[in-house]
Amino acid sequence: HAEALFERGLAWGYLGEWKRAVGDLDASLKSNPDQPRAYGFRGAAREGLGDPEGALADYAESLRRNPGDVQV
């Protein structure tokens, strides 16, 4: 369930549908909060929505959970 929501959130993001992307990524993280990539992609979606503070918080959480990830 969490993986399907994550993948759909990515698809919405690639289409520039930031609100939908954030919604699916929120639901994915609620179902399974141990997904560093989901925090990173939600950060990108929040950046797309013009929410730099939210984006930075998600990027920081992604790096906290996976410090070696250079894609964030």
Side-chain angles (χ1 to χ4, degrees):
H1 183 88
E3 183 66 25
L5 288 165
F6 171 76
E7 293 294 334
R8 192 170 69 181
L10 288 183
W12 286 127
Y14 290 132
L15 294 171
E17 295 285 339
W18 306 121
K19 285 185 182 183
R20 288 179 168 179
V22 169
D24 280 345
L25 293 166
D26 282 346
S28 179
L29 287 164
K30 184 176 182 178
S31 177
N32 176 11
D34 191 26
Q35 300 180 80
R37 290 181 58 223
Y39 287 101
F41 282 109
R42 188 175 69 178
R46 286 181 167 174
E47 193 171 345
L49 286 172
D51 177 12
E53 294 85 10
L56 286 174
D58 278 341
Y59 293 146
E61 184 62 20
S62 179
L63 287 171
R64 187 186 74 75
R65 290 175 179 270
N66 188 10
D69 190 354
V70 296
Q71 294 183 346
V72 173

